[in-house]
Amino acid sequence: MRGQDQRSAPSCDDDYISSEDLTRWTPEKGPSTPLLDTVNFPVHIKNFNSEQLKQLAKEVRSDIVHKVSKTGGHLSSSLGVVELTVALHYVFNTPEDKIIWDVGHQAYGHKILTGRRKQMSTIRQTDGLSGFTKRDESEYDPFGAGHSSTSISAGLGMAVGRDFKGKKNSVIAVIGDGAITGGMAYEAMNHAGFLDSNMIVVLNDNQQVSLPTQYNGKNQQPVGALASALARLQASRPLRELREVAKGVTKQLPDVVQRATAKIDEYARGMISGTGSTLFEELGLYYIGPLDGHNLDDIIAVLNEVRSAETVGPVLVHLVTEKGRGYLPAETAQDKMHGVGKFDPQTGTQVAVKAKCGSFTNFFADALSAEAEKDSRVVAIHAAMAGGTGLSRFEKRFPDRVFDVGIAEQHAVTFAAGLACEGLVPFATIYSTFLQRGYDQIVHDVALQRLPVRFAMDRAGLVGADGSTHCGAFDVTFMASLPSMVCMAPSNEAELVNMVATCVAIDDSPSCFRFPRGNGLGLDLSLHGITKDFKGTPLEVGKGVVRRSGTDVALLAYGSSVNEALAAAEMLAASGVQATVVDARFCKPLDTALIRRLAKEHPVLISIEEGSIGGFASHVMQFLALDGLLDNGLKFRPMTLPDRFIDHGDYRDQLAAAGLDASQIASTALITLGRPQDAAKTTLSFIR
């Protein structure tokens, strides 16, 4: 038996991992999975009966818990779609039929059933499986999705492409875990309704992010036997085909009659389908649901009917699921164990990772809270990422001054612009990689109008296990190219706290700062003008600082790369090379006086940044060239992220692959100084 059931919908306990089940797991082998052991690919489940499919679902759920407990990763999203995953692969013929997972972190069960079970122990690790769907990983992943709200657009494109080629395969977009809150999903549904191409949209509504139609667990109709029966009726082939015949007849009638008939049908559908169906019907999708997303028999019955119906047009199947379903620690955790480190599967207790210092994210949140204590105009905006951005800490102290806009970065930026128009001090707190989605709004709604919106860009640079989809590679390039934008990057937690204060002080233009994933250095903040409550001191805009002085080579670093540059300077000293290390602090405006001095006092100048080509180095080179500083023999070398995406893995492995770790900085300096043999020795010494 499982723990207490907190849901109102009746369901069988067989899908739950009980305490007795957990006690039978072995530490290394985990749960017993006799049925799953016979499955390598979806074709192997086609002859399973209903009871076998339910048993398979429980074994997949257990396998996910066991595997993720060893590696860490996204746990609860995949647990919530186990029944759906089994049903999709039972009903449809993948990979010919296309299943697009949105967001891709729901797809752990999908990976297990599509030939990747043995590799699950490598997920999110160097050279291992991606934590998201990935086209070049498997033919069963027709579209990569590390961000969200893209599946319906991609699926519609695939459906139209299929029709162009005269094929008949199914295209299924599974959108959930809040992804339906992204405006792009509605743009796609609107277009799908207009094109009327055959495709299936499965809405995985786990009630974790409030949808526009209030599918948030408060106003949702109970998912029970009546809703199940109505959904089966709506999905029946005769009813849908009858509607198609009726549509064909009404098209021959006068427009006014057509409109009246459509409204009658719409209202009738609203009466027999779930709350909110009118929204999807208005967009042109045939709505079915809501269904209990954990009732495997119902899901299979509906998907079979939808798949075999001889009708034209997009269909939306609405499933109500429970995030973390079947694993009590995940169901009862405040964050539903969304993203976890390694944990004890018996209790769900995560293995504590000892760090000498708090995370950059928490330092940011505490610094912003300190500013908010002093200035009632300070407010914060995030896009469904309160925990990831640290704003859950801010919200505890200022619940009325933080705004969650859902997965809607475009809206977040322009909303912040509107707040700035009214004299507030808005911080748009968005991961670097997610801010890309709001770039047009940054340009037109913020920069063009010189509105003082502050952009706090977390997860800048390489991000380890989350990989290329979440890597903050491009923000320096796209932000520093904008007129009037002040761009900063801290090298440590003290600099970060002071940059928060600096942004508050900048009230005549937009500003931004980027900071990495990971922990601070453990500095004594009081030595950097920071009070016990994390109130920082504004920096002088456009001024860098010399961290170490030398004469042979100047290492001009931006952001977290300063620490690699300092380590490289130690290596160079062992080779008799004295390096100056400068913490640039600002990409825009540059400290041109300091850079001019570096260029004149050193034969070699190297810029270092954990960002793409076109970023900090480009601004430095532009200044050097226009100031004539490259005309007299100065050797300048830019070190940036390479012009390729770097896959998931350990952060240090990624940094080495990017050519930006301390040994490679030292080697670049030695080679540029004409000492390639010493460079090779330095690299070998570092490896040892």
Side-chain angles (χ1 to χ4, degrees):
M1 294 296 291
R2 63 176 178 86
Q4 73 176 37
D5 188 353
Q6 299 177 344
R7 294 164 297 110
S8 59
S11 69
C12 177
D13 288 353
D14 291 346
D15 58 343
Y16 273 77
I17 303 169
S18 68
S19 57
E20 288 81 2
D21 291 331
L22 290 168
T23 58
R24 288 193 290 268
W25 291 14
T26 61
E28 292 304 318
K29 292 185 178 180
S32 174
T33 54
L35 203 55
L36 180 57
D37 292 344
T38 69
V39 177
N40 291 318
F41 293 97
V43 68
H44 297 141
I45 72 173
K46 296 299 182 182
N47 292 324
F48 283 8
N49 60 34
S50 176
E51 291 307 310
Q52 288 175 314
L53 290 171
K54 292 174 184 176
Q55 179 61 30
L56 176 65
K58 183 172 182 178
E59 292 181 15
V60 169
R61 179 169 279 117
S62 299
D63 205 46
I64 291 172
V65 171
H66 172 63
K67 292 296 197 309
V68 177
S69 74
K70 302 291 186 183
T71 63
H74 290 96
L75 176 66
S76 56
S77 300
S78 289
L79 293 180
V81 294
V82 167
E83 286 79 15
L84 172 61
T85 303
V86 170
L88 287 169
H89 283 297
Y90 177 74
V91 172
F92 296 98
N93 296 317
T94 56
E96 180 182 355
D97 290 333
K98 313 294 184 185
I99 302 175
I100 305 166
W101 292 93
D102 180 7
V103 178
H105 63 228
Q106 300 173 99
Y108 284 21
H110 163 77
K111 288 176 184 266
I112 288 171
L113 294 177
T114 54
R116 289 169 277 183
R117 185 187 180 199
K118 291 182 179 179
Q119 298 169 271
M120 286 297 292
S121 60
T122 71
I123 200 162
R124 292 162 48 91
Q125 299 174 38
T126 303
D127 298 324
L129 291 179
S130 169
F132 307 97
T133 49
K134 192 175 182 184
R135 278 175 56 84
D136 60 8
E137 184 178 286
S138 171
E139 63 179 338
Y140 290 90
D141 293 356
F143 201 76
H147 288 190
S148 77
S149 314
T150 59
S151 57
I152 304 174
S153 297
L156 180 59
M158 291 179 188
V160 171
R162 170 203 63 203
D163 297 343
F164 264 93
K165 294 188 291 186
K167 292 186 174 182
K168 298 294 185 182
N169 61 285
S170 297
V171 177
I172 308 99
V174 181
I175 184 166
D177 211 22
I180 196 68
T181 62
M184 185 175 172
Y186 295 91
E187 295 173 17
M189 284 189 282
N190 184 52
H191 194 206
F194 173 77
L195 292 179
D196 216 27
S197 295
N198 270 348
M199 70 174 293
I200 301 166
V201 177
V202 177
L203 171 57
N204 167 32
D205 177 5
N206 62 17
Q207 306 171 69
Q208 281 299 290
V209 180
S210 297
L211 305 185
T213 45
Q214 296 185 323
Y215 295 152
N216 57 9
K218 296 178 181 178
N219 299 313
Q220 181 64 51
Q221 293 296 320
V223 180
L226 177 60
S228 171
L230 290 174
R232 283 173 179 262
L233 173 64
Q234 294 167 53
S236 69
R237 193 184 314 172
L239 177 60
R240 291 188 62 214
E241 290 175 358
L242 177 62
R243 290 182 78 238
E244 288 300 314
V245 173
K247 283 163 63 178
V249 171
T250 57
K251 285 179 181 178
Q252 301 175 37
L253 300 174
D255 286 348
V256 64
V257 179
Q258 290 187 43
R259 287 194 296 272
T261 304
K263 280 296 178 186
I264 291 170
D265 176 74
E266 174 188 317
Y267 291 130
R269 295 275 299 122
M271 290 173 64
I272 65 171
S273 62
T275 302
S277 63
T278 301
L279 167 67
F280 299 112
E281 290 284 335
E282 287 281 6
L283 291 170
L285 282 77
Y286 187 94
Y287 175 93
I288 299 171
L291 284 169
D292 181 346
H294 303 294
N295 188 318
L296 193 55
D297 290 335
D298 280 2
I299 300 171
I300 289 173
V302 169
L303 291 179
N304 267 323
E305 289 292 346
V306 171
R307 179 175 181 266
S308 58
E310 294 296 329
T311 57
V312 176
V315 176
L316 185 140
V317 180
H318 178 186
L319 303 182
V320 177
T321 64
E322 185 175 15
K323 194 166 183 173
R325 170 72 175 218
Y327 183 54
L328 198 59
E331 288 188 15
T332 55
Q334 184 177 12
D335 65 351
K336 298 290 184 180
M337 296 183 72
H338 172 79
V340 296
K342 296 178 182 179
F343 63 92
D344 179 358
Q346 301 287 332
T347 63
T349 303
Q350 296 187 50
V351 178
V353 179
K354 293 183 179 180
K356 64 179 182 180
C357 186
S359 69
F360 278 100
T361 299
N362 286 345
F363 277 111
F364 158 71
D366 292 342
L368 188 63
S369 297
E371 296 297 332
E373 287 282 3
K374 304 291 185 182
D375 189 340
S376 62
R377 300 173 303 151
V378 172
V379 294
I381 305 101
H382 67 89
M385 292 294 292
T389 60
L391 289 183
S392 55
R393 294 166 73 94
F394 181 89
E395 187 174 17
K396 288 178 181 178
R397 295 170 66 178
F398 306 102
D400 297 328
R401 291 161 66 181
V402 61
F403 300 93
D404 180 356
V405 302
I407 302 177
E409 289 82 3
Q410 291 176 306
H411 166 61
V413 172
T414 305
F415 175 64
L419 292 170
C421 287
E422 292 303 307
L424 297 185
V425 180
F427 277 76
T429 307
I430 301 172
Y431 285 10
S432 167
T433 183
F434 297 149
L435 190 58
Q436 294 162 184
R437 300 162 68 107
Y439 189 58
D440 183 68
Q441 286 68 33
I442 297 171
V443 175
H444 286 271
D445 300 336
V446 177
L448 189 62
Q449 304 185 84
R450 290 187 66 96
L451 290 171
V453 174
R454 292 85 175 165
F455 295 95
M457 302 178 294
D458 200 343
R459 303 315 198 265
L462 299 165
V463 292
D466 281 334
S468 56
T469 61
H470 286 57
C471 175
F474 310 112
D475 59 89
V476 182
T477 301
F478 67 69
M479 294 298 271
S481 64
L482 297 176
S484 77
M485 182 71 71
V486 176
C487 301
M488 297 169 270
S491 58
N492 55 56
E493 64 272 25
E495 292 285 298
L496 173 58
V497 172
N498 286 332
M499 285 179 184
V500 173
T502 305
C503 277
V504 172
I506 297 172
D507 61 2
D508 59 351
S509 70
S511 56
C512 67
F513 54 96
R514 69 186 324 247
F515 56 99
R517 180 181 186 177
N519 298 92
L521 305 183
L523 302 179
D524 183 345
L525 298 183
S526 65
L527 299 178
H528 299 268
I530 299 168
T531 62
K532 290 183 179 180
D533 64 353
F534 295 96
K535 175 69 175 71
T537 301
L539 303 173
E540 184 178 356
V541 174
K543 293 297 179 182
V545 60
V546 177
R547 299 293 184 192
R548 176 177 178 139
S549 296
T551 56
D552 300 316
V553 59
L555 305 178
L556 176 60
Y558 187 57
S560 59
S561 294
V562 171
N563 302 302
E564 293 299 317
L566 288 168
E570 292 291 337
M571 296 179 185
L572 290 168
S575 298
V577 174
Q578 299 305 311
T580 295
V581 178
V582 170
D583 183 342
R585 285 180 168 169
F586 293 85
C587 175
K588 189 174 184 180
L590 283 173
D591 189 341
T592 54
L594 179 55
I595 294 173
R596 184 181 293 113
R597 196 179 90 206
L598 294 176
K600 290 181 176 180
E601 295 178 357
H602 301 79
V604 172
L605 174 60
I606 299 172
S607 70
I608 308 132
E609 64 186 296
E610 210 171 298
S612 66
I613 297 168
F616 176 66
S618 294
H619 289 261
V620 173
M621 283 190 284
Q622 177 88 353
F623 168 70
L624 291 173
L626 293 178
D627 210 51
L629 295 168
L630 297 175
D631 299 348
N632 298 311
L634 174 68
K635 294 181 179 179
F636 177 74
R637 300 291 185 270
M639 297 187 72
T640 69
L641 289 174
D643 192 22
R644 60 182 173 84
F645 292 104
I646 295 178
D647 281 337
H648 55 278
D650 180 81
Y651 171 74
R652 298 303 308 180
D653 291 342
Q654 291 181 323
L655 202 63
L660 291 175
D661 62 15
S663 69
Q664 292 172 91
I665 295 170
S667 294
T668 299
L670 289 167
I671 291 170
T672 309
L673 288 166
R675 298 172 56 177
Q677 291 181 333
D678 288 337
K681 291 177 183 177
T682 299
T683 302
L684 286 173
S685 175
F686 180 77
I687 293 173
R688 288 172 186 161

